Amino acid sequence: MCKKTAAPIVLSSLAEHLVKLALYIVLAKAVRSALGSSTGLTWVFNSAATLLALKMIKGELGLLMKRLTRRLPPGYLGFPIVRDLRALLTIFSGKLMDQLEASRQNYGTIFTTAFLGRTNITAGGQEDLNWLFINDRKALTEIAWPPNIVMLLGPGAVANQSGKYHRVLRRLLEPYFAPTFVTNYLKVMDETTLADLDDWCSTGQFVSSEEFKMYALRLFYASSFGRIDESIVATLHDDFKIWISGFFTFTTLRISGTSFDKAMKARDRILDTVDKLIDRFTEENPEGSERAENTIVGRLIYGKDKDNNRVMSRGEMKDNILNLIFAGHDTTYASISTLLHHLSQHKDAYDALQEEVTSLTEPLNASDLKNAPVLNSCIHESWRVDPPVPGSFRKAVKELEHKGYIFEKGTVFNYSILMATSDSSLYKDHRTYNFRRFLPKDHKLYVAEIDSGIDPIQGRSNYPIFGGGTHVCLGKAFAMLEMRLLAARMLKHYDVDVRNSEKVFLPVNGWRVEFKLTRRK
């Protein structure tokens, strides 16, 4: 029988709590002393300050005991407000990766962080993510988005579900997101892609990568309805820009004029638009029709469980269609824009990719795209360096144990995709974009020294771009086809110039660029 190893107690983490306790006690004594000679509003203020100081002392004692009993991994928590401002500064100054690497060096791959009063366990090692994903499949953890994101996604959204209802939704939808099924969309996706590329080229000017958001909406609309309604696409695009701004608000109070209130109003407008789309779909595609049976939207509307009962209410349909649109709107934009940035910085990758896709025969088919090694390596490496979604959250539904730590029920874990894809033990020279990293051994450009030995298609904990466990992204195959198709069509028919690359971190991680297409002769 294996002996369990006790988790280390990091002295710097203990020292932090002792220093803060001393400061809070001094503060409490000072305020209490002033309380005796105060009157009126001053007395009220000092009383409130005393209670706050006592609460902070109690909280710090609780954290100290958790450290000593190995119920909390090491990690710097800092002072409220100050630490939150510091965290925001770290993100917006582009130093998040530096901070994560420093924490990994100081504490290992699992450590404690805090933001806006919420203590999280950040997990970024392959072993840690594998443990979380296994617990997710065992229903020992559940999804744990911050409250504002829960409200914006909606109560019926599959992204908010755990347990039995989540399993029912996954069983309903997974067959229609499978790689073999999404190829049914290839023809209409290709037509949409060619039309958009022609429009961007015809301007003769540099175009903002914001256009990729409109492109993603057109793909969704064309795949669902077989045609595109530009007025609805434009309406959805405008509302989604406002809606997603609510992901980074610090309150769920709907105070008129605040970003969160504006985002929730945008959500209401999106749902009204989706409501009309459902009416249009059911009118044009009755139950049993080809599009009702063979599109993702059709299955959301008409899907039934094993007892032949409709799975979703009208409200749940709308929440999930909203989530489907969102999943493509911003992550597609970030993925394509970021790929163009990296190709513009690495001419060897650009040239190799253009040579490969030029040789693809017409009409393009899903099999050739799937088996184009340079195309897929360029995409996977772009996602590795700049994952569009840098992490996600899980919450323990019962007491769990990992690496000698005991995590009580309710503990929130932030699994870091960014840490996993920048693990130097898995990826040599991990900060550098190198498409050869994922090339097959028999390819002429293969370099053994940079080979990661990892198959990104498997999407395991060493390459968790689409998450893992039972909550792995449903749209993985669709996203992969979308990226392959646009990149292949773009470089097959056009030369691409890129300028004004700008790193962005919110609402998605990646690069914003301007690009210009020149038709190849």
Side-chain angles (χ1 to χ4, degrees), residues 16 24 100 102 119 144 154 172 175 191 256 258 302 311 348 354 369 378 387-388 421 479:
E16 178 196 348
Y24 294 155
L100 289 173
T119 301
L172 170 68
E191 291 170 353
S256 181
T258 61
Y302 294 115
V311 172
D348 57 338
Q354 190 162 62
L369 293 172
C378 285
T421 60

Side-chain angles (χ1 to χ4, degrees), residues 186-445:
L186 181 59
K187 184 175 183 296
V188 69
M189 289 172 70
D190 198 19
E191 291 170 353
T192 304
T193 300
L194 287 169
D196 276 18
L197 287 170
D198 186 62
D199 287 344
W200 299 332
C201 177
S202 66
T203 67
Q205 305 292 324
F206 278 88
V207 178
S208 169
S209 56
E210 287 284 315
E211 284 292 328
F212 295 137
K213 295 180 180 180
M214 297 288 284
Y215 167 73
L217 288 173
R218 290 189 187 101
L219 282 188
F220 167 80
Y221 206 97
S223 300
S224 300
F225 295 91
R227 66 184 188 283
I228 298 172
D229 186 323
E230 287 294 342
S231 64
I232 288 185
V233 167
T235 297
L236 286 171
H237 172 67
D238 291 342
D239 283 332
F240 265 104
K241 287 176 68 175
I242 300 170
W243 175 78
I244 202 167
S245 68
F247 277 46
F248 308 101
T249 54
F250 303 141
T251 179
T252 55
L253 296 176
R254 294 194 62 172
I255 301 171
S256 181
T258 61
S259 293
F260 185 72
D261 182 59
K262 291 176 181 177
M264 289 299 290
K265 287 177 178 176
R267 168 182 156 80
D268 293 339
R269 291 193 299 272
I270 293 168
L271 293 182
D272 286 343
T273 302
V274 170
D275 209 28
K276 294 171 185 174
L277 291 178
I278 293 173
D279 286 339
R280 180 182 296 183
F281 189 94
T282 54
E283 181 181 336
E284 297 175 355
N285 305 282
E287 187 170 8
S289 64
E290 190 274 336
R291 196 166 289 279
E293 294 295 321
N294 294 309
T295 64
I296 294 166
V297 170
R299 300 323 304 146
L300 282 169
I301 294 172
Y302 294 115
K304 296 179 180 179
D305 62 19
K306 61 182 180 180
D307 298 318
N308 207 36
N309 297 315
R310 286 278 173 83
V311 172
M312 293 187 194
S313 66
R314 183 79 167 203
E316 290 165 340
M317 288 179 204
K318 293 194 292 184
D319 279 348
N320 281 288
I321 292 174
L322 179 153
N323 277 242
L324 284 178
I325 300 172
F326 157 61
H329 184 259
D330 279 83
T331 55
T332 295
Y333 143 73
S335 297
I336 299 171
S337 184
T338 300
L339 176 62
L340 290 184
H341 163 75
H342 288 302
L343 292 176
S344 73
Q345 301 297 305
H346 300 275
K347 191 174 185 301
D348 57 338
Y350 180 98
D351 290 343
L353 178 55
Q354 190 162 62
E355 178 184 352
E356 180 179 83
V357 298
T358 299
S359 68
L360 295 175
T361 57
E362 298 288 349
L364 294 185
N365 64 74
S367 178
D368 286 346
L369 293 172
K370 179 182 177 182
N371 293 300
V374 176
L375 173 63
N376 288 281
S377 294
C378 285
I379 292 170
H380 289 309
E381 179 67 350
S382 183
W383 274 334
R384 185 197 67 79
V385 175
D386 291 295
V389 180
S392 188
F393 298 92
R394 297 290 184 269
K395 182 169 70 175
V397 298
K398 63 176 293 185
E399 187 174 273
L400 301 173
E401 186 174 352
H402 178 58
K403 287 186 172 179
Y405 295 107
I406 298 172
F407 301 107
E408 61 191 31
K409 178 181 177 180
T411 299
V412 175
F413 300 92
N414 168 27
Y415 72 80
S416 176
I417 295 172
L418 199 57
M419 281 183 66
T421 60
S422 61
D423 188 338
S424 59
S425 69
L426 300 174
Y427 300 103
K428 185 178 180 180
D429 197 14
H430 65 85
R431 289 206 175 193
T432 301
Y433 178 93
N434 193 330
F435 76 99
R436 294 173 179 81
R437 199 182 304 275
F438 295 114
L439 285 175
K441 288 182 172 60
D442 59 355
H443 195 276
K444 63 181 181 180
L445 297 178

Side-chain angles (χ1 to χ4, degrees), residues 450-506:
I450 200 66
D451 183 7
S452 65
I454 291 169
D455 181 3
I457 294 294
Q458 296 298 319
R460 295 198 171 95
S461 52
N462 50 21
Y463 189 86
I465 299 301
F466 294 94
T470 59
H471 290 87
V472 66
C473 177
L474 273 170
K476 176 180 177 180
F478 190 93
M480 199 70 234
L481 179 61
E482 183 178 58
M483 284 289 287
R484 288 167 177 156
L485 180 62
L486 181 56
R489 280 299 185 198
M490 186 178 284
L491 270 73
K492 182 179 175 70
H493 301 296
Y494 302 90
D495 290 320
V496 186
D497 293 313
V498 175
R499 72 178 187 186
N500 295 339
S501 289
E502 178 187 358
K503 188 72 173 79
V504 293
F505 303 95
L506 300 173

Side-chain angles (χ1 to χ4, degrees), residues 32-292:
R32 186 180 178 188
S33 176
L35 186 62
S37 59
S38 60
T39 58
L41 290 176
T42 304
W43 184 89
V44 173
F45 174 81
N46 286 335
S47 296
T50 301
L51 291 174
L52 178 61
L54 291 173
K55 182 179 179 181
M56 294 168 78
I57 291 170
K58 180 182 178 183
E60 211 61 41
L61 281 170
L63 291 171
L64 178 61
M65 290 306 299
K66 283 186 176 183
R67 299 279 201 196
L68 290 170
T69 57
R70 296 179 173 84
R71 291 179 176 270
L72 202 64
Y76 178 71
L77 298 180
F79 291 93
I81 302 177
V82 175
R83 70 182 174 214
D84 301 331
L85 292 173
R86 180 172 176 262
L88 291 172
L89 181 62
T90 298
I91 293 171
F92 287 110
S93 63
K95 295 181 179 178
L96 177 59
M97 194 65 250
D98 293 335
Q99 180 63 51
L100 289 173
E101 289 194 355
S103 296
R104 175 159 41 197
Q105 184 175 355
N106 292 331
Y107 310 122
T109 59
I110 187 164
F111 49 88
T112 307
T113 58
F115 186 63
L116 295 178
R118 176 162 139 165
T119 301
N120 298 323
I121 308 301
T122 296
Q126 183 178 354
E127 183 183 353
D128 307 317
L129 268 64
N130 191 48
W131 173 75
L132 275 174
F133 295 158
I134 288 173
N135 281 323
D136 196 40
R137 286 190 285 272
K138 292 179 178 179
L140 298 178
T141 62
E142 62 185 16
I143 207 76
W145 295 114
N148 59 317
I149 295 180
V150 171
M151 291 177 66
L152 288 163
L153 293 176
V158 66
N160 269 337
Q161 305 303 320
S162 296
K164 182 178 179 181
Y165 182 61
H166 177 253
R167 292 193 294 272
V168 170
L169 285 180
R170 297 283 303 201
R171 279 196 295 267
L172 170 68
L173 297 174
E174 278 177 344
Y176 304 99
F177 282 96
T180 53
F181 186 87
V182 298
T183 58
N184 294 330
Y185 299 127
L186 181 59
K187 184 175 183 296
V188 69
M189 289 172 70
D190 198 19
E191 291 170 353
T192 304
T193 300
L194 287 169
D196 276 18
L197 287 170
D198 186 62
D199 287 344
W200 299 332
C201 177
S202 66
T203 67
Q205 305 292 324
F206 278 88
V207 178
S208 169
S209 56
E210 287 284 315
E211 284 292 328
F212 295 137
K213 295 180 180 180
M214 297 288 284
Y215 167 73
L217 288 173
R218 290 189 187 101
L219 282 188
F220 167 80
Y221 206 97
S223 300
S224 300
F225 295 91
R227 66 184 188 283
I228 298 172
D229 186 323
E230 287 294 342
S231 64
I232 288 185
V233 167
T235 297
L236 286 171
H237 172 67
D238 291 342
D239 283 332
F240 265 104
K241 287 176 68 175
I242 300 170
W243 175 78
I244 202 167
S245 68
F247 277 46
F248 308 101
T249 54
F250 303 141
T251 179
T252 55
L253 296 176
R254 294 194 62 172
I255 301 171
S256 181
T258 61
S259 293
F260 185 72
D261 182 59
K262 291 176 181 177
M264 289 299 290
K265 287 177 178 176
R267 168 182 156 80
D268 293 339
R269 291 193 299 272
I270 293 168
L271 293 182
D272 286 343
T273 302
V274 170
D275 209 28
K276 294 171 185 174
L277 291 178
I278 293 173
D279 286 339
R280 180 182 296 183
F281 189 94
T282 54
E283 181 181 336
E284 297 175 355
N285 305 282
E287 187 170 8
S289 64
E290 190 274 336
R291 196 166 289 279

